[in-house]
Amino acid sequence: MLNTDRVFDRITLGAMILALGLLVDDAIIAIEMMVVKMEEGVDRIRAAALCLEPYRGADANPEPW
């Protein structure tokens, strides 16, 4: 990092490692949920949609007024 003139504090590196760990953990949980749905007989596209539904943004599918 010194060769590229970039300096990261240890706290910043620790926070980046924690964030990456949380991201990987969420991905593992989503895949496990998808496998469970597929074992229940749901097709893979619908299973993926069902397991990713909790992660959608608040305005991903807004209600019409």
Side-chain angles (χ1 to χ4, degrees):
M1 287 190 300
L2 293 176
N3 292 338
T4 59
D5 294 329
R6 293 184 183 168
V7 179
F8 290 111
D9 294 327
R10 290 183 183 174
I11 293 174
T12 303
L13 289 174
M16 289 173 55
I17 291 169
L18 285 174
L20 182 60
L22 290 172
L23 180 69
V24 170
D25 186 51
D26 282 346
I28 291 171
I29 291 171
I31 290 170
E32 288 176 351
M33 285 176 45
M34 190 167 118
V35 169
V36 168
K37 293 294 182 185
M38 289 173 62
E39 288 174 351
E40 292 175 354
V42 179
D43 67 312
R44 63 187 174 120
I45 303 297
R46 182 73 178 139
L50 287 173
C51 77
L52 294 176
E53 192 169 313
Y55 300 104
R56 290 191 337 188
D59 60 351
N61 191 8
E63 294 290 324
W65 294 101

